[in-house]
Short mmCIF file of all heavy atoms in Angstrom, two decimals:
data_model
loop_
_atom_site.label_atom_id
_atom_site.label_comp_id
_atom_site.label_asym_id
_atom_site.label_seq_id
_atom_site.Cartn_x
_atom_site.Cartn_y
_atom_site.Cartn_z
N VAL A 114 -5.41 -14.54 -9.61
CA VAL A 114 -5.82 -13.14 -9.46
C VAL A 114 -4.76 -12.26 -10.12
O VAL A 114 -3.57 -12.38 -9.81
CB VAL A 114 -5.97 -12.74 -7.98
CG1 VAL A 114 -6.14 -11.23 -7.85
CG2 VAL A 114 -7.15 -13.46 -7.35
N VAL A 115 -5.22 -11.38 -10.99
CA VAL A 115 -4.35 -10.36 -11.59
C VAL A 115 -4.81 -9.01 -11.04
O VAL A 115 -5.92 -8.57 -11.33
CB VAL A 115 -4.44 -10.37 -13.12
CG1 VAL A 115 -3.50 -9.31 -13.72
CG2 VAL A 115 -4.09 -11.76 -13.67
N LEU A 116 -3.99 -8.39 -10.22
CA LEU A 116 -4.38 -7.10 -9.65
C LEU A 116 -4.49 -6.04 -10.75
O LEU A 116 -3.69 -6.03 -11.70
CB LEU A 116 -3.35 -6.64 -8.61
CG LEU A 116 -3.21 -7.50 -7.36
CD1 LEU A 116 -2.18 -6.87 -6.42
CD2 LEU A 116 -4.54 -7.66 -6.64
N PRO A 117 -5.45 -5.11 -10.64
CA PRO A 117 -5.65 -4.10 -11.69
C PRO A 117 -4.72 -2.89 -11.50
O PRO A 117 -5.17 -1.75 -11.36
CB PRO A 117 -7.12 -3.72 -11.50
CG PRO A 117 -7.34 -3.84 -10.03
CD PRO A 117 -6.51 -5.02 -9.60
N THR A 118 -3.42 -3.16 -11.49
CA THR A 118 -2.45 -2.11 -11.17
C THR A 118 -1.65 -1.64 -12.38
O THR A 118 -0.90 -0.67 -12.26
CB THR A 118 -1.46 -2.63 -10.11
OG1 THR A 118 -0.85 -3.84 -10.59
CG2 THR A 118 -2.17 -2.90 -8.79
N THR A 141 -10.00 -10.45 -10.84
CA THR A 141 -9.36 -9.25 -10.33
C THR A 141 -10.16 -8.75 -9.14
O THR A 141 -11.31 -9.17 -8.92
CB THR A 141 -9.21 -8.17 -11.41
OG1 THR A 141 -8.20 -7.25 -11.02
CG2 THR A 141 -10.52 -7.44 -11.68
N LEU A 142 -9.53 -7.89 -8.34
CA LEU A 142 -10.16 -7.41 -7.12
C LEU A 142 -11.03 -6.19 -7.42
O LEU A 142 -10.60 -5.27 -8.09
CB LEU A 142 -9.10 -7.05 -6.07
CG LEU A 142 -8.11 -8.14 -5.69
CD1 LEU A 142 -7.28 -7.69 -4.49
CD2 LEU A 142 -8.81 -9.46 -5.37
N ASP A 143 -12.25 -6.21 -6.91
CA ASP A 143 -13.19 -5.11 -7.15
C ASP A 143 -13.16 -4.15 -5.97
O ASP A 143 -14.04 -4.17 -5.11
CB ASP A 143 -14.60 -5.65 -7.39
CG ASP A 143 -15.55 -4.57 -7.88
OD1 ASP A 143 -15.07 -3.64 -8.55
OD2 ASP A 143 -16.75 -4.65 -7.58
N HIS A 144 -12.12 -3.32 -5.94
CA HIS A 144 -11.98 -2.28 -4.92
C HIS A 144 -11.76 -0.94 -5.62
O HIS A 144 -11.36 -0.89 -6.79
CB HIS A 144 -10.78 -2.57 -4.01
CG HIS A 144 -10.94 -3.78 -3.15
ND1 HIS A 144 -11.78 -3.82 -2.06
CD2 HIS A 144 -10.35 -5.00 -3.21
CE1 HIS A 144 -11.71 -5.00 -1.48
NE2 HIS A 144 -10.85 -5.76 -2.17
N LEU A 145 -11.99 0.13 -4.88
CA LEU A 145 -11.62 1.46 -5.37
C LEU A 145 -10.17 1.77 -5.02
O LEU A 145 -9.53 2.62 -5.64
CB LEU A 145 -12.55 2.52 -4.77
CG LEU A 145 -14.03 2.35 -5.16
CD1 LEU A 145 -14.88 3.39 -4.44
CD2 LEU A 145 -14.21 2.45 -6.66
N MET A 146 -9.67 1.08 -4.02
CA MET A 146 -8.26 1.12 -3.62
C MET A 146 -8.05 -0.09 -2.73
O MET A 146 -9.00 -0.56 -2.10
CB MET A 146 -7.95 2.41 -2.86
CG MET A 146 -6.49 2.59 -2.46
SD MET A 146 -6.01 1.64 -0.99
CE MET A 146 -7.04 2.35 0.28
N TRP A 147 -6.82 -0.61 -2.66
CA TRP A 147 -6.59 -1.81 -1.87
C TRP A 147 -5.25 -1.76 -1.16
O TRP A 147 -4.19 -1.68 -1.80
CB TRP A 147 -6.66 -3.04 -2.77
CG TRP A 147 -6.68 -4.35 -2.05
CD1 TRP A 147 -7.60 -4.79 -1.15
CD2 TRP A 147 -5.72 -5.42 -2.17
NE1 TRP A 147 -7.30 -6.05 -0.71
CE2 TRP A 147 -6.14 -6.47 -1.32
CE3 TRP A 147 -4.56 -5.58 -2.91
CZ2 TRP A 147 -5.44 -7.67 -1.19
CZ3 TRP A 147 -3.86 -6.77 -2.79
CH2 TRP A 147 -4.29 -7.80 -1.94
N ARG A 148 -5.30 -1.71 0.15
CA ARG A 148 -4.14 -1.89 1.03
C ARG A 148 -2.95 -1.02 0.63
O ARG A 148 -3.06 0.20 0.54
CB ARG A 148 -3.78 -3.37 1.11
CG ARG A 148 -4.88 -4.21 1.74
CD ARG A 148 -4.52 -5.68 1.83
NE ARG A 148 -5.63 -6.47 2.35
CZ ARG A 148 -5.66 -7.78 2.39
NH1 ARG A 148 -4.61 -8.48 1.97
NH2 ARG A 148 -6.72 -8.41 2.87
N ASP A 149 -1.81 -1.65 0.34
CA ASP A 149 -0.58 -0.91 0.07
C ASP A 149 -0.59 -0.18 -1.27
O ASP A 149 0.35 0.56 -1.57
CB ASP A 149 0.63 -1.86 0.11
CG ASP A 149 0.81 -2.49 1.48
OD1 ASP A 149 0.30 -1.92 2.46
OD2 ASP A 149 1.47 -3.55 1.56
N HIS A 150 -1.64 -0.39 -2.07
CA HIS A 150 -1.68 0.22 -3.40
C HIS A 150 -2.39 1.57 -3.41
O HIS A 150 -2.64 2.13 -4.48
CB HIS A 150 -2.37 -0.73 -4.39
CG HIS A 150 -1.62 -2.00 -4.60
ND1 HIS A 150 -0.62 -2.14 -5.54
CD2 HIS A 150 -1.71 -3.20 -3.97
CE1 HIS A 150 -0.14 -3.37 -5.51
NE2 HIS A 150 -0.78 -4.03 -4.56
N ARG A 151 -2.70 2.10 -2.23
CA ARG A 151 -3.49 3.33 -2.16
C ARG A 151 -2.84 4.48 -2.92
O ARG A 151 -3.54 5.27 -3.58
CB ARG A 151 -3.69 3.73 -0.69
CG ARG A 151 -4.53 4.97 -0.52
CD ARG A 151 -4.98 5.14 0.92
NE ARG A 151 -5.92 6.25 1.06
CZ ARG A 151 -6.75 6.40 2.08
NH1 ARG A 151 -6.77 5.50 3.04
NH2 ARG A 151 -7.57 7.42 2.15
N ALA A 152 -1.54 4.60 -2.87
CA ALA A 152 -0.86 5.72 -3.52
C ALA A 152 -0.40 5.39 -4.94
O ALA A 152 0.20 6.24 -5.60
CB ALA A 152 0.34 6.16 -2.68
N GLY A 153 -0.70 4.18 -5.39
CA GLY A 153 -0.23 3.77 -6.71
C GLY A 153 -1.36 3.58 -7.70
O GLY A 153 -2.53 3.85 -7.41
N PRO A 154 -1.05 3.09 -8.89
CA PRO A 154 -2.07 2.87 -9.92
C PRO A 154 -3.07 1.80 -9.47
O PRO A 154 -2.69 0.80 -8.86
CB PRO A 154 -1.26 2.38 -11.13
CG PRO A 154 0.14 2.82 -10.87
CD PRO A 154 0.32 2.79 -9.39
N TRP A 155 -4.34 2.03 -9.78
CA TRP A 155 -5.39 1.05 -9.46
C TRP A 155 -6.56 1.31 -10.39
O TRP A 155 -7.19 2.36 -10.32
CB TRP A 155 -5.82 1.15 -8.00
CG TRP A 155 -6.71 0.01 -7.59
CD1 TRP A 155 -8.07 -0.03 -7.63
CD2 TRP A 155 -6.28 -1.27 -7.10
NE1 TRP A 155 -8.53 -1.26 -7.19
CE2 TRP A 155 -7.44 -2.03 -6.86
CE3 TRP A 155 -5.03 -1.83 -6.84
CZ2 TRP A 155 -7.40 -3.34 -6.37
CZ3 TRP A 155 -4.98 -3.12 -6.35
CH2 TRP A 155 -6.15 -3.87 -6.12
N PHE A 156 -6.86 0.35 -11.27
CA PHE A 156 -7.91 0.52 -12.26
C PHE A 156 -9.21 -0.16 -11.82
O PHE A 156 -9.23 -0.96 -10.88
CB PHE A 156 -7.45 -0.03 -13.61
CG PHE A 156 -6.32 0.78 -14.22
CD1 PHE A 156 -4.99 0.41 -14.03
CD2 PHE A 156 -6.60 1.91 -14.97
CE1 PHE A 156 -3.96 1.16 -14.58
CE2 PHE A 156 -5.58 2.66 -15.52
CZ PHE A 156 -4.25 2.29 -15.32
N LEU A 177 -13.33 -10.79 -7.39
CA LEU A 177 -13.07 -11.34 -6.04
C LEU A 177 -12.74 -10.18 -5.11
O LEU A 177 -11.59 -9.81 -4.97
CB LEU A 177 -11.91 -12.34 -6.06
CG LEU A 177 -12.24 -13.78 -6.42
CD1 LEU A 177 -10.99 -14.65 -6.35
CD2 LEU A 177 -13.30 -14.35 -5.51
N VAL A 178 -13.70 -9.61 -4.44
CA VAL A 178 -15.13 -9.75 -4.70
C VAL A 178 -15.73 -8.35 -4.77
O VAL A 178 -15.19 -7.41 -4.19
CB VAL A 178 -15.85 -10.56 -3.57
CG1 VAL A 178 -15.48 -12.02 -3.62
CG2 VAL A 178 -15.58 -9.96 -2.19
N PHE A 183 -19.68 -0.11 -2.27
CA PHE A 183 -19.91 0.90 -3.30
C PHE A 183 -20.67 0.36 -4.50
O PHE A 183 -20.83 1.06 -5.50
CB PHE A 183 -18.58 1.54 -3.75
CG PHE A 183 -17.62 0.59 -4.40
CD1 PHE A 183 -17.62 0.40 -5.78
CD2 PHE A 183 -16.70 -0.11 -3.64
CE1 PHE A 183 -16.73 -0.47 -6.38
CE2 PHE A 183 -15.79 -0.98 -4.24
CZ PHE A 183 -15.81 -1.16 -5.62
N ALA A 212 -15.48 -5.05 3.79
CA ALA A 212 -14.83 -4.84 5.09
C ALA A 212 -14.76 -3.34 5.40
O ALA A 212 -15.13 -2.50 4.59
CB ALA A 212 -13.43 -5.44 5.07
N TYR A 213 -14.28 -3.03 6.60
CA TYR A 213 -13.99 -1.65 6.94
C TYR A 213 -12.83 -1.16 6.08
O TYR A 213 -12.04 -1.95 5.56
CB TYR A 213 -13.63 -1.52 8.41
CG TYR A 213 -14.73 -1.92 9.36
CD1 TYR A 213 -14.59 -3.04 10.18
CD2 TYR A 213 -15.90 -1.19 9.43
CE1 TYR A 213 -15.60 -3.40 11.06
CE2 TYR A 213 -16.92 -1.54 10.30
CZ TYR A 213 -16.76 -2.65 11.12
OH TYR A 213 -17.76 -3.03 11.97
N GLY A 214 -12.69 0.14 5.94
CA GLY A 214 -11.57 0.67 5.20
C GLY A 214 -12.00 1.63 4.12
O GLY A 214 -13.12 2.17 4.12
N TYR A 215 -11.12 1.84 3.16
CA TYR A 215 -11.29 2.89 2.16
C TYR A 215 -12.59 2.75 1.39
O TYR A 215 -13.33 3.73 1.23
CB TYR A 215 -10.10 2.84 1.19
CG TYR A 215 -10.12 3.94 0.14
CD1 TYR A 215 -9.66 5.22 0.44
CD2 TYR A 215 -10.62 3.69 -1.13
CE1 TYR A 215 -9.68 6.22 -0.51
CE2 TYR A 215 -10.65 4.69 -2.10
CZ TYR A 215 -10.18 5.95 -1.78
OH TYR A 215 -10.21 6.94 -2.72
N ASP A 216 -12.89 1.55 0.89
CA ASP A 216 -14.11 1.37 0.08
C ASP A 216 -15.37 1.72 0.87
O ASP A 216 -16.37 2.16 0.31
CB ASP A 216 -14.22 -0.08 -0.40
CG ASP A 216 -13.24 -0.39 -1.52
OD1 ASP A 216 -12.55 0.54 -1.98
OD2 ASP A 216 -13.15 -1.57 -1.92
N ASN A 299 -11.01 -16.80 2.15
CA ASN A 299 -9.59 -16.47 2.06
C ASN A 299 -8.85 -16.87 3.33
O ASN A 299 -7.73 -16.41 3.57
CB ASN A 299 -9.39 -14.98 1.76
CG ASN A 299 -10.08 -14.07 2.76
OD1 ASN A 299 -10.55 -14.53 3.80
ND2 ASN A 299 -10.15 -12.79 2.44
N PHE A 305 -7.42 -11.62 8.96
CA PHE A 305 -6.53 -11.59 7.80
C PHE A 305 -5.06 -11.52 8.21
O PHE A 305 -4.26 -10.83 7.59
CB PHE A 305 -6.88 -10.42 6.86
CG PHE A 305 -8.31 -10.42 6.41
CD1 PHE A 305 -9.16 -9.40 6.77
CD2 PHE A 305 -8.81 -11.46 5.65
CE1 PHE A 305 -10.49 -9.40 6.37
CE2 PHE A 305 -10.14 -11.47 5.24
CZ PHE A 305 -10.98 -10.44 5.60
N LEU A 343 -9.10 -18.66 -1.72
CA LEU A 343 -8.25 -17.60 -2.26
C LEU A 343 -6.99 -17.55 -1.40
O LEU A 343 -7.03 -17.17 -0.23
CB LEU A 343 -9.00 -16.27 -2.21
CG LEU A 343 -8.22 -15.02 -2.62
CD1 LEU A 343 -7.72 -15.14 -4.06
CD2 LEU A 343 -9.08 -13.77 -2.45
N ALA A 344 -5.89 -17.94 -1.98
CA ALA A 344 -4.65 -18.13 -1.22
C ALA A 344 -3.88 -16.81 -1.12
O ALA A 344 -2.89 -16.59 -1.81
CB ALA A 344 -3.79 -19.21 -1.85
N GLY A 345 -4.36 -15.94 -0.22
CA GLY A 345 -3.67 -14.70 0.06
C GLY A 345 -2.74 -14.86 1.25
O GLY A 345 -2.10 -15.90 1.43
N GLN A 346 -2.70 -13.83 2.10
CA GLN A 346 -1.70 -13.82 3.17
C GLN A 346 -1.94 -14.89 4.23
O GLN A 346 -1.02 -15.25 4.96
CB GLN A 346 -1.64 -12.44 3.82
CG GLN A 346 -2.95 -11.94 4.40
CD GLN A 346 -2.82 -10.54 4.94
OE1 GLN A 346 -2.68 -10.34 6.15
NE2 GLN A 346 -2.84 -9.56 4.07
N PHE A 376 -2.38 -15.63 -6.28
CA PHE A 376 -2.13 -14.28 -6.78
C PHE A 376 -0.93 -14.28 -7.74
O PHE A 376 0.07 -14.97 -7.50
CB PHE A 376 -1.83 -13.33 -5.63
CG PHE A 376 -3.05 -12.87 -4.87
CD1 PHE A 376 -3.63 -13.68 -3.91
CD2 PHE A 376 -3.62 -11.63 -5.13
CE1 PHE A 376 -4.74 -13.27 -3.20
CE2 PHE A 376 -4.73 -11.20 -4.43
CZ PHE A 376 -5.30 -12.02 -3.47
N TRP A 377 -1.05 -13.50 -8.79
CA TRP A 377 0.10 -13.24 -9.65
C TRP A 377 1.17 -12.55 -8.80
O TRP A 377 0.88 -11.55 -8.15
CB TRP A 377 -0.30 -12.35 -10.83
CG TRP A 377 0.80 -12.19 -11.83
CD1 TRP A 377 1.85 -11.35 -11.77
CD2 TRP A 377 0.95 -12.92 -13.05
NE1 TRP A 377 2.67 -11.49 -12.85
CE2 TRP A 377 2.14 -12.45 -13.67
CE3 TRP A 377 0.20 -13.92 -13.68
CZ2 TRP A 377 2.57 -12.94 -14.90
CZ3 TRP A 377 0.65 -14.40 -14.90
CH2 TRP A 377 1.82 -13.93 -15.50
N GLY A 379 3.71 -10.13 -7.25
CA GLY A 379 3.96 -8.71 -7.49
C GLY A 379 5.41 -8.45 -7.84
O GLY A 379 6.33 -9.14 -7.39
#
Side-chain angles (χ1 to χ4, degrees):
V114 170
V115 181
L116 295 182
T118 56
T141 200
L142 304 189
D143 190 30
H144 293 288
L145 298 176
M146 183 281 297
W147 190 61
R148 296 181 184 172
D149 297 339
H150 296 273
R151 182 167 187 159
W155 190 269
F156 293 95
L177 275 182
V178 289
F183 63 91
Y213 298 114
Y215 183 82
D216 286 354
N299 55 11
F305 304 116
L343 175 60
Q346 58 184 259
F376 282 80
W377 187 279

